[in-house]
Amino acid sequence: MKVFCGRANPTTGSMEWLEEDEHYDYHQEIARSSYADMLHDKDRNIKYYQGIQAAVSRVKDRGQKALVLDIGTGTGLLSMMAVTAGADFCYAIEVFKPMADAAVKIVEENGFSDKIKIINKHSTEVTVGLDGDMPCRANILITELFDTELIGEGALPSYEHAHRHLMQENCEAVPHRATVYAQLVESRRMWSWNKLFPIRVQTSLGEKVIIPPLELERCPGAPSVCDIQLNQVSPTDFTVLSDVLPMFSVDFSKQVSSSAACHSRQFEPLASGRAQVVLSWWDIEMDPEGKIKCTMAPFWAHSDPEELQWRDHWMQCVYFLSQEEPVVQGSVLCLVAHHDDYCVWYSLQKTSPEKNGRVHLARPVCDCQAHLLWNRPRFGEINDQDRTDQYVQALSTVLKPDSVCLCISDGSLLSMLAYHLGAEQIFKANHLEDKINMIEKRPELLTPADLGDKKVSLLLGEPFFTTSLLPWHNLYFWYVRTAVDRHLGPGAVVMPQAASLHAVVVEFRDLWRIRSPCGNCEGFDVHIMDDMIKCALDFRESKEAEPHPLWEYPCHSLSEPQQILTFDFLQPVPPQPIHAEGTIELRRPGRSHGAVLWMEYHLTPDSTVSTGLLKPAENKGDCCWNPHCKQAVYFFNTTLDSRAPPDSPRTVSYTVVFHPDTGDVTMDFTLSDALTC
């Protein structure tokens, strides 16, 4: 049986439906899951184990049998911990069938089949009774239903149902309690991910300013949380305006409500400034006394920064206020956390909403469309004045007063830059609607009439397209350039004139964990899960790169950056594949976890924009990545230790092919045999 899957076609820039193997969705789900990351999270595992042991002891001390309900069991790890801690029986619920099947095998492999029952259902479908999935209600509730936002995976409705239908009164819960914390800050960098700033253009006639539309200024922004590795944001990028505030807690041992609610905290600003952003995280206490705690706090709010646990399945949250607001040091304000059953958002008010009776529960929704078109990194990219200046300088060298410009990019301001620099050419907010024409057509349908019967003398692109996931997907610009070739005049200039694909071999400080086998987790054999992930990766993912914003994931280069492929935009897309083979020499010590690939766009012979490395690596190989772009990471199946003796071969061979018929780039990297592990 075949299934249809949506895919962005890099050659057309549009979504299309492709037939895939019936197991495609299963392999995608497993390959891109965070199971490996969670199994490597030792802090999480130990704290859960300690909490489970304590809960089982409390039930046993009351003279009761310890009956455990484990919702979202995954590998069955927490259930096996419970039985090892002395639980009499455990009902482990897992809705994802391939994962439930794996849990059955893992439980059997570890010798717990007589004590653990895997139930392949959603917890809300589980029945209790003589003929039910459980003969009676449980008295210990174990869950791991949390995401970075705490409640985004439906924890509240699941707990609510479990307490009403599956658990005894006065049950134990692991974790026992969760608390959400928030801190108000001013941050031009993070605010630039949410609002469009005025853009300054230096021209021969002086400075011109492109102002954002009023509806964008007033828009509350995208409703979804921005989850990031907050520890990688420099403290110099924000000013703290409040202490860390405990916003609300959820006691998981009692009846939980999924109803919408708000929680306010009074505070006095620590400094005067502009309130723009709320940084938020949570911790979970595994026991009623709060002695066993697992926290997501960033380093500056962590009780012991030296013990900071890296994890990618739980990060920290960035929330944007609907509008920035001035605050004065010492004046009392209220920070309000709102939530429904799945989402959290924040507002800043002068008085407590509970006191004045105005409880605003409506979740903010974008009404300007820009936040639907551009993601947060794209806002940051457009707001990057240095990047704008680079494009302006390149444009000024190719523009002529009579230039007829055609701009090809999604939501790009290049055409406005070109107009201000002297070309004859859009935006209502900047009163250019009679200067720049928007052509809402596919490139192959463009007619001379659309261009006023003029030939294009300057074809522009950043290139940026919203459908692009991997760096080379923006080569859609090349396909458009090919489609409009007949509309280009003699000697027409194309900017960028070329692009190149680059690669470097790196050692990740932490990101390697998401692909590394676990084998044994806290004394339990989970190699079946490792094999399952490897099988899913081998289905397709192991031969593909995946996008990651590497500014959040520190690494250092073991090789020098190497140009792999080049693409000549002055010529149409060739009919035959572009093929490259070679080797990359490892020059620094370390473990080679993978290759990072990115695109560089050569605007003019003297100007290049990189979507990857922004500057050469220093002696230690520390990498500085473009913060507005995702780079492609190709994880190696094995690791090459380049700390080998000098006479040992320390190279990585590669084969990379660009396929013009699909717009895809396929690749294979092979590590030299010496010291692979």
Side-chain angles (χ1 to χ4, degrees):
M1 188 177 80
K2 297 288 186 179
V3 296
F4 286 99
C5 297
R7 169 186 179 270
N9 187 330
T11 69
T12 64
S14 61
M15 292 295 296
E16 63 183 16
W17 293 93
L18 299 177
E19 274 192 345
E20 294 283 2
D21 183 274
E22 63 179 313
H23 301 297
Y24 175 80
D25 281 343
Y26 151 71
H27 287 296
Q28 287 276 297
E29 181 77 17
I30 294 297
R32 298 182 179 181
S33 70
S34 295
Y35 290 118
D37 178 32
M38 288 188 284
L39 293 175
H40 281 291
D41 188 345
K42 195 166 184 65
D43 178 64
R44 161 194 175 270
N45 299 337
I46 291 175
K47 301 293 176 55
Y48 260 99
Y49 209 167
Q50 292 173 343
I52 290 169
Q53 290 169 332
V56 171
S57 295
R58 289 194 297 273
V59 170
K60 293 284 189 178
D61 289 345
R62 295 198 291 264
Q64 301 174 351
K65 284 188 173 182
L67 302 177
V68 175
L69 176 64
D70 176 7
I71 301 179
T73 193
T75 60
L77 176 66
L78 302 185
S79 292
M80 293 189 293
M81 288 179 175
V83 172
T84 304
D88 293 277
F89 203 83
C90 185
Y91 301 93
I93 301 172
E94 177 55 55
V95 68
F96 184 41
K97 189 176 189 311
M99 194 67 251
D101 293 342
V104 170
K105 296 176 183 177
I106 292 171
V107 166
E108 182 179 2
E109 181 79 14
N110 286 273
F112 294 109
S113 294
D114 61 333
K115 292 276 191 173
I116 299 174
K117 178 183 179 181
I118 305 297
I119 303 172
N120 179 211
K121 288 184 176 181
H122 194 281
S123 63
T124 57
E125 298 172 344
V126 171
T127 57
V128 177
L130 291 178
D131 298 322
D133 301 303
M134 301 166 55
C136 62
R137 294 186 178 218
N139 55 15
I140 299 177
L141 177 58
I142 300 173
T143 63
E144 206 279 56
L145 300 172
F146 315 117
D147 66 350
T148 294
E149 202 172 14
L150 183 68
I151 65 173
E153 291 185 1
L156 296 182
S158 296
Y159 272 110
E160 186 174 42
H161 177 272
H163 277 292
R164 286 179 177 173
H165 302 285
L166 306 177
M167 302 304 300
Q168 299 176 20
E169 288 188 19
N170 302 315
C171 67
E172 301 287 342
V174 181
H176 178 79
R177 181 187 299 107
T179 302
V180 173
Y181 298 89
Q183 190 167 33
L184 186 68
V185 303
E186 175 181 353
S187 173
R188 179 176 175 82
R189 180 186 179 188
M190 287 184 270
W191 193 239
S192 76
W193 303 340
N194 184 57
K195 297 289 185 180
L196 189 62
F197 298 164
I199 297 170
R200 304 184 182 280
V201 184
Q202 297 297 331
T203 74
S204 59
L205 299 177
E207 183 180 79
K208 303 290 184 181
V209 181
I210 301 173
I211 61 171
L214 190 58
E215 55 267 33
L216 197 156
E217 281 281 293
R218 294 174 174 172
C219 180
S224 58
V225 65
C226 177
D227 53 340
I228 64 171
Q229 294 283 355
L230 197 54
N231 288 312
Q232 298 309 312
V233 176
S234 170
T236 61
D237 280 332
F238 60 91
T239 300
V240 171
L241 298 180
S242 79
D243 290 320
V244 175
L245 306 172
M247 296 306 300
F248 64 93
S249 295
V250 183
D251 186 337
F252 296 126
S253 68
K254 300 178 181 178
Q255 181 61 57
V256 172
S257 173
S258 63
S259 300
C262 74
H263 311 267
S264 66
R265 289 290 178 268
Q266 276 195 344
F267 71 99
E268 293 185 8
L270 301 176
S272 298
R274 304 197 67 80
Q276 299 169 326
V277 172
V278 176
L279 308 180
S280 184
W281 57 89
W282 49 265
D283 63 31
I284 44 178
E285 296 171 354
M286 300 298 182
D287 61 323
E289 295 78 21
K291 295 179 179 178
I292 309 168
K293 182 182 291 187
C294 185
T295 181
M296 306 308 118
F299 67 86
W300 67 87
H302 201 285
S303 58
D304 187 0
E306 295 297 320
E307 296 297 320
L308 199 68
Q309 169 75 49
W310 183 89
R311 45 175 70 94
D312 206 44
H313 57 105
W314 297 329
M315 294 185 280
Q316 294 81 35
C317 301
V318 174
Y319 296 95
F320 304 99
L321 297 179
S322 294
Q323 301 294 326
E324 64 177 2
E325 300 183 36
V327 298
V328 178
Q329 182 177 5
S331 61
V332 177
L333 292 170
C334 281
L335 184 64
V336 185
H338 311 261
H339 74 79
D340 53 23
D341 48 352
Y342 282 89
C343 302
V344 179
W345 63 98
Y346 286 86
S347 66
L348 190 63
Q349 300 183 19
K350 292 184 177 180
T351 58
S352 170
E354 293 93 337
K355 290 182 179 179
N356 61 28
R358 294 185 296 106
V359 179
H360 302 289
L361 292 177
R363 187 180 174 204
V365 176
C366 170
D367 53 21
C368 75
Q369 308 303 311
H371 298 89
L372 305 180
L373 174 66
W374 297 330
N375 57 24
R376 271 105 184 202
R378 177 59 173 168
F379 267 92
E381 187 172 47
I382 293 175
N383 283 323
D384 187 336
Q385 187 64 50
D386 290 339
R387 179 178 179 275
T388 296
D389 292 342
Q390 190 171 0
Y391 273 93
V392 167
Q393 291 171 10
L395 269 172
S396 63
T397 65
V398 297
L399 269 176
K400 298 179 181 178
D402 59 348
S403 290
V404 177
C405 302
L406 179 61
C407 181
I408 305 165
S409 283
D410 285 347
S412 175
L413 303 183
L414 274 183
S415 54
M416 298 182 66
L417 300 182
Y419 169 75
H420 284 303
L421 290 171
E424 289 216 9
Q425 293 255 31
I426 75 188
F427 278 122
K428 188 174 181 180
N430 291 275
H431 309 292
L432 300 179
E433 55 268 26
D434 59 333
K435 304 296 183 182
I436 301 176
N437 297 320
M438 297 292 292
I439 305 173
E440 298 183 13
K441 278 189 176 182
R442 295 197 55 78
E444 63 271 16
L445 301 178
L446 203 63
T447 66
D450 295 321
L451 300 170
D453 294 317
K454 295 179 180 179
K455 289 290 187 180
V456 173
S457 59
L458 178 56
L459 184 67
L460 300 175
E462 296 194 34
F464 169 84
F465 301 97
T466 55
T467 56
S468 299
L469 296 176
L470 292 163
W472 43 86
H473 289 170
N474 284 319
L475 287 174
Y476 174 54
F477 173 81
W478 201 10
Y479 290 88
V480 177
R481 178 258 178 269
T482 303
V484 302
D485 186 65
R486 59 194 175 93
H487 299 294
L488 302 182
V493 174
V494 179
M495 194 189 93
Q497 62 182 23
S500 50
L501 179 66
H502 297 250
V504 66
V505 177
V506 303
E507 177 181 39
F508 287 109
R509 190 171 74 190
D510 298 297
L511 189 62
W512 59 270
R513 300 172 196 272
I514 70 172
R515 283 292 191 90
S516 178
C518 186
N520 184 289
C521 184
E522 306 310 320
F524 302 98
D525 185 349
V526 294
H527 80 270
I528 291 172
M529 186 69 221
D530 294 336
D531 296 342
M532 189 176 177
I533 294 174
K534 185 179 185 304
C535 177
L537 291 170
D538 288 344
F539 178 76
R540 178 177 298 174
E541 297 279 325
S542 66
K543 296 298 181 183
E544 294 183 348
E546 56 187 57
H548 288 281
L550 290 187
W551 73 268
E552 295 184 51
Y553 303 100
C555 63
H556 73 269
S557 61
L558 304 183
S559 72
E560 295 304 314
Q562 193 156 319
Q563 182 172 296
I564 304 295
L565 292 175
T566 58
F567 311 94
D568 184 2
F569 295 158
L570 301 182
Q571 302 298 325
V573 177
Q576 68 279 359
I578 302 176
H579 183 277
E581 292 183 359
T583 59
I584 301 175
E585 180 184 355
L586 305 185
R587 298 185 176 182
R588 295 186 182 92
R591 293 187 177 275
S592 52
H593 292 129
V596 178
L597 300 99
W598 68 94
M599 298 291 291
E600 294 191 358
Y601 295 101
H602 310 288
L603 306 183
T604 66
D606 301 319
S607 181
T608 296
V609 173
S610 174
T611 67
L613 284 178
L614 295 182
K615 59 183 180 181
E618 298 176 354
N619 292 336
K620 293 183 180 180
D622 292 337
C623 298
C624 177
W625 299 104
N626 187 321
H628 311 309
C629 306
K630 288 185 178 181
Q631 292 74 39
V633 179
Y634 182 100
F635 287 99
F636 298 155
N637 290 328
T638 57
T639 300
L640 176 63
D641 191 337
S642 62
R643 290 169 289 196
D647 57 344
S648 298
R650 297 177 296 170
T651 60
V652 176
S653 302
Y654 64 83
T655 300
V656 179
V657 183
F658 169 70
H659 303 272
D661 55 334
T662 63
D664 285 328
V665 173
T666 58
M667 62 197 70
D668 189 27
F669 288 84
T670 305
L671 283 65
S672 58
D673 293 335
L675 296 177
T676 55
C677 53

